């Protein structure tokens, strides 16, 4: 029988492996060409030097995200978070694309959880692999690393 602390240590270990896997094998990395209705956003974290440039393409009506790509450099948390965001947008949007309002809800929920200092965990059904970043909320210096791509998406959507 595993004690709660042993289960949590195992879960933390699994989450760490997931973060490392996304940082080593990122989804959506490599900016796609600007075609159709696209917008880009560059975000920089001066505290640690992380950089993310994210490009989003929306449908002609501007209602659905049909493509998300990014490039960047920095710590494993910022790179994994961008990868997890790209995978989530692709998975949730399917062939039709993710509705803009759904993306805004994801960004808001992610921000709320990461600012909660560990009191609000990210739901795995909603956030998929990005739920592994819940523990980052306990380390205020790392929250901006995890938020970088999400802020870039929010900014790009405002421009698209």
């Amino acid at each position: 029988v595993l004690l709660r602390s042993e289960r949590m240590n195992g879960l933390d270990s699994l989450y760490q492996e997931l973060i490392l896997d996304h940082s080593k094998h990122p989804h959506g990395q490599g900016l796609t060409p600007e075609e159709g209705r696209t917008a880009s956003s560059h975000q920089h974290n001066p505290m640690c030097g992380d950089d993310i440039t994210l490009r989003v393409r929306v449908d002609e009506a501007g209602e659905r995200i049909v493509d998300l790509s990014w490039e960047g450099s920095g710590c494993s948390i910022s790179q994994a978070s961008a990868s997890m965001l790209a995978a989530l947008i692709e998975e949730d949007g399917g062939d039709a694309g993710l509705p803009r309002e759904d993306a805004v809800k994801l960004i808001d929920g992610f921000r709320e959880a990461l600012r909660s200092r560990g009191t609000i965990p990210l739901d795995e059904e909603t956030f998929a692999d990005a739920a592994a970043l819940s523990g980052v909320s306990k380390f205020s210096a790392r929250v901006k690393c995890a938020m970088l791509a999400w802020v870039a998406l929010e900014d790009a959507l405002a421009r698209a």
Side-chain angles (χ1 to χ4, degrees):
V1 175
L2 290 176
L3 298 173
R4 179 177 158 77
S5 62
E6 290 172 328
R7 282 196 311 265
M8 289 310 294
N9 286 340
L11 189 58
D12 288 346
S13 177
L14 176 67
Y15 282 172
Q16 287 174 354
E17 288 177 30
L18 191 57
I19 290 168
L20 288 174
D21 186 54
H22 268 277
S23 69
K24 290 178 182 175
H25 310 287
H27 295 270
Q29 191 175 41
L31 292 176
T32 55
E34 289 189 40
E35 52 188 42
R37 193 168 170 181
T38 61
S40 298
S41 176
H42 175 79
Q43 299 293 316
H44 175 71
N45 182 350
M47 300 297 286
C48 63
D50 293 344
D51 276 295
I52 298 284
T53 300
L54 183 139
R55 181 169 295 148
V56 66
R57 184 166 31 104
V58 295
D59 64 4
E60 288 305 314
E63 311 242 336
R64 293 181 168 276
I65 298 172
V66 294
D67 186 57
L68 183 145
S69 61
W70 65 278
E71 63 182 18
S73 61
C75 70
S76 60
I77 291 173
S78 71
Q79 302 304 287
S81 185
S83 172
M84 292 168 171
L85 174 60
L88 182 62
I89 295 295
E90 182 180 312
E91 180 182 307
D92 283 2
D95 291 337
L98 182 69
R100 180 189 290 255
E101 64 267 13
D102 290 358
V104 170
K105 286 178 188 172
L106 286 171
I107 294 165
D108 290 344
F110 191 79
R111 178 180 284 120
E112 181 182 17
L114 285 189
R115 289 184 174 169
S116 77
R117 298 199 180 266
T119 62
I120 302 171
L122 291 162
D123 176 59
E124 284 185 46
E125 277 193 40
T126 303
F127 291 95
D129 285 354
L133 296 167
S134 287
V136 171
S137 70
K138 296 174 188 168
F139 306 98
S140 58
R142 307 304 274 165
V143 168
K144 189 159 185 177
C145 301
M147 283 297 307
L148 212 57
W150 300 72
V151 170
L153 175 58
E154 184 175 52
D155 183 49
L157 283 173
R159 300 168 189 248

